[in-house]
Each structure stands twice: as C-alpha cells, then as structure tokens.
C-alpha cells in the first residue's frame, strides 16, 4: 500500500494478502481453550491452527487454507462460518466480506468512489449546533465540514502544518505527523488506535481509492506508530464513546461523542460526529466558554490563512 502505486484491481495480490494477514491475526488471538478444543504438546503458532479453524467452521483444512490465502472465492455461508469460528465482531465480519469481495473476480468493473461536496443544508445543520461540536469527515479522515465550535475545540489541529492548502485537517495525518497532537488528545494512543481501525475498514470498503492508499503509504513510511497499528489489523466502522482533550485556552474537557453515517449521494457516505459534554459538568462550562468565543470568529465556510499556500 505504498504511495504512488497503481490502483489495485480485483483479484490483485494486495487484496489476497489483506485477507491472509487479517485472518491470520484473528486466529492468533484465540486460544484452543477459549473455543473448547483440546491441546497437547508444544504449539509453533500462537492461537488457533488452520485445521482448528476449519474444524470449528465445519469445512476442510484445505478449503479454509485457500480461503485464508485469498485463492478461493468463498460463499456467504462459508464466510459466516469462518466469522463465527474466529469470533469476529460485526465490524470485523463486514470487513472480511469487503476483503473477500475485493479479492474475488469481478463480474463488472468496480465502482470508483466519487467525492462530493457537502451541500449547503448540511452546513446549515452543523452551524445550528451551537452547544455541541460537530463535523463531517470522509473515509480518508479528512475533515470536510464542521461548525464553529469544532474549529475552536480543535484549534491546534487547524493551526497545524499538516492541514491541506484549503486549510482542511486530516485527523490521521495530524495524529501521526504532528507531535503536538499528544498535547491535545489526552488519550493519544486510544485516538490513534481508533483512527487506524477506521482507515483499515475504509480500505476494505474502497480498495480502489488511490488517495487513501497513498495516505496509508505515506504514514506507514513516516510513522512507526502508524505502521505498528496498521499491522495490528484492528477494524472499526461505527464508533462512539468518550474523549478527553487538553485545550490550550480552556483546559481539560471530558466529552462524549457519537458518529453516524451521512449519505450524501449514491456514491458517497460520509461520517457525522457530534461531541457534547455532560450537563452541569465543568466540561460543559468550558465548552460553553469556547462556544461564546467561537461565535465571534469567522464562519467555518469562510477562507482562512492556509488557502494562500
């Protein structure tokens, strides 16, 4: 997945390698004891052997081996059986199906993803949220729309040299290429794991996205932390939870966030994420302070200093 490579087409070795590495990593995390299988003698591999996965999935070892190596276009029931045997969660299961589809022979040319602009009504919706921080991102972790409070809350990210020439941040690039991101994100490691897991899932959904693969290649080359997380094969599609930020002006904020799909066309589904604070908490007070400050700043849709780069 290095920068500058051609877009891999269907049945490309890169897709077969993705299946192999993913399934190998998933069976390595499960012990025979966890699935009720007997053990005897030393084991050369961590976790389950291929023949043990095959037994749990009720298929032959040879068949499972070909599935794991990406040499077999497995049926839906077989993939479901493998997912159950490896105890995949829903996001991992969807990722496996995406990988299998990408590695299989194409009956027609795969659809290329088309980026679309965020329509004005979506920006109006974001702007109407004055007490919550909200933004829209694409699968490459690019912030493509946001409200004023998100801009104020993540001011260090917008002021980073990692923004593009239009002043748009890329969350992954900021995390892994700007050391100051560890000052903003109190739980930097958790943010890094989640970000890479979201990118991993996107790479499965959109195997022909050249810009995404170039970003993965860039970060793999320049960041040891990214390279390590990418090799872990963690996958996330939908996410929610809590996040702690250390803002340079208002201090520590403990926020909860919820992300949801935002379909903008037949060819683009982006992600809408909203951050809020617990009512009555000190974090809510600090968020309100930021909101009052943000209200005096230029609109999120207006150009900023980076556009002249």
């Amino acid at each position: 997945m290095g920068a500058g490579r051609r877009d891999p087409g269907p049945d490309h070795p890169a897709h077969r390698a993705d299946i192999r590495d993913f399934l190998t990593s998933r069976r390595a995390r499960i012990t025979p004891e966890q699935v009720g299988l007997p053990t005897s003698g030393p084991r050369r591999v961590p976790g389950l052997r291929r023949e043990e996965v095959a037994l749990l999935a009720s298929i032959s070892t040879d068949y499972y081996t070909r599935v794991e190596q990406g040499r077999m276009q497995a049926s839906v029931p077989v993939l479901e059986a493998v997912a159950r045997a490896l105890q995949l969660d829903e996001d991992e299961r969807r990722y496996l199906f995406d990988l299998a589809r990408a590695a299989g022979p194409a009956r027609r040319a795969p659809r290329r993803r088309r980026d679309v602009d965020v329509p004005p009504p979506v920006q109006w919706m974001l702007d109407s949220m004055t007490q919550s921080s909200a933004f829209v991102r694409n699968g490459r972790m690019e912030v493509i729309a946001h409200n004023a409070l998100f801009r104020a809350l993540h001011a260090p990210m917008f002021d980073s040299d990692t923004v593009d020439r239009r002043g748009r941040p890329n969350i992954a690039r900021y995390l892994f290429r700007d050391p100051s991101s560890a000052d903003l994100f109190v739980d930097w490691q958790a943010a890094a794991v989640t970000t890479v897991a979201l990118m991993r899932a996107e790479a499965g959904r959109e195997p022909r996205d050249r810009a995404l693969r170039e970003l993965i290649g860039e970060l793999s080359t320049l960041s040891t932390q990214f390279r390590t997380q990418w090799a872990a094969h963690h996958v996330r599609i939908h996410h929610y939870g809590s996040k702690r930020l250390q803002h340079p002006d208002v201090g520590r904020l403990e926020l909860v966030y919820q992300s949801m799909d935002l379909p903008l066309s037949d060819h683009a589904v982006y992600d809408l994420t909203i951050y809020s604070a617990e009512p009555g908490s000190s974090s809510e007070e600090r968020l309100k302070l930021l909101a009052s400050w943000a209200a005096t700043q230029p609109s999120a849709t207006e150009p900023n200093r980076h556009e002249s780069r």
Side-chain angles (χ1 to χ4, degrees):
M1 288 193 177
R5 294 184 182 179
R6 297 181 59 190
D7 289 346
D11 202 27
H12 190 278
H15 300 320
R16 295 196 294 272
D18 285 341
I19 291 179
R20 181 197 65 223
D21 294 344
F22 176 65
L23 291 178
T24 299
S25 71
R26 297 308 92 174
R27 64 182 172 88
R29 70 182 181 177
I30 302 175
T31 65
E33 293 84 357
Q34 287 176 303
V35 291
L37 293 178
T39 59
S40 61
R43 300 176 67 88
R44 292 180 298 172
V45 296
L48 297 178
R49 300 182 176 119
R50 284 175 177 165
E51 58 266 30
E52 291 168 332
V53 177
L55 176 64
L56 292 168
S58 300
I59 57 178
S60 72
T61 299
D62 177 68
Y63 192 96
Y64 174 74
T65 298
R66 284 183 287 155
V67 170
E68 184 176 285
Q69 293 175 344
R71 296 187 291 116
M72 170 66 67
Q73 182 68 10
S75 66
V76 170
V78 168
L79 290 176
E80 293 282 12
V82 170
R84 286 193 299 271
L86 294 175
Q87 300 180 0
L88 303 187
D89 63 26
E90 182 58 28
D91 287 352
E92 291 170 330
R93 176 189 164 280
R94 286 179 58 181
Y95 179 64
L96 174 61
F97 274 75
D98 287 337
L99 291 181
R101 185 165 46 251
R107 295 183 177 87
R108 57 183 179 180
R111 170 183 60 81
R112 287 180 179 270
R113 181 176 61 185
R114 298 177 186 173
D115 289 331
V116 298
D117 293 330
V118 172
V122 171
Q123 186 63 58
W124 303 340
M125 175 186 68
L126 294 174
D127 291 338
S128 71
M129 301 181 197
T130 57
Q131 299 301 310
S132 294
S133 164
F135 74 104
V136 176
R137 65 161 181 85
N138 61 22
R140 303 182 202 113
M141 307 306 294
E142 296 167 340
V143 177
I144 57 175
H146 59 277
N147 65 4
L149 185 51
F150 179 84
R151 170 68 176 81
L153 186 62
H154 294 82
M157 183 169 68
F158 281 84
D159 292 336
S160 170
D161 289 337
T162 59
V163 299
D164 66 17
R165 44 206 267 175
R166 289 176 289 178
R168 295 196 318 190
N170 181 294
I171 297 169
R173 189 172 278 122
Y174 174 63
L175 280 171
F176 292 102
R177 295 203 56 191
D178 190 331
S180 70
S181 63
D183 298 327
L184 177 62
F185 292 95
V186 175
D187 304 305
W188 184 93
Q189 185 67 25
V193 169
T194 297
T195 297
V196 177
L198 290 167
M199 293 175 67
R200 172 66 76 175
E202 180 70 5
R205 282 192 301 264
E206 298 289 347
R208 290 172 60 85
D209 186 342
R210 177 183 296 177
L212 175 62
R213 299 182 78 87
E214 289 178 348
L215 175 63
I216 293 166
E218 170 197 330
L219 296 179
S220 296
T221 300
L222 299 175
S223 170
T224 301
Q225 295 98 326
F226 180 88
R227 198 159 56 245
T228 299
Q229 289 301 325
W230 188 255
H233 289 270
H234 297 311
V235 178
R236 290 189 72 175
I237 296 175
H238 297 106
H239 61 297
Y240 55 89
S242 59
K243 185 161 293 188
R244 296 187 298 167
L245 300 177
Q246 184 67 32
H247 193 273
D249 295 323
V250 301
R252 180 72 59 91
L253 297 107
E254 297 190 9
L255 306 171
V256 295
Y257 68 91
Q258 178 73 52
S259 295
M260 59 203 81
D261 288 345
L262 180 66
L264 296 182
S265 74
D266 292 338
H267 301 290
V269 177
Y270 292 157
D271 181 276
L272 169 65
T273 302
I274 301 172
Y275 290 85
S276 56
E278 181 182 353
S281 66
S282 59
S283 292
E284 184 191 41
E285 291 303 314
R286 290 168 182 160
L287 201 59
K288 286 180 177 179
L289 180 61
L290 269 180
S292 63
W293 174 81
T296 67
Q297 303 305 304
S299 166
T301 57
E302 291 181 15
N304 61 38
R305 65 179 179 86
H306 293 287
E307 284 202 297
S308 59
R309 289 185 179 183

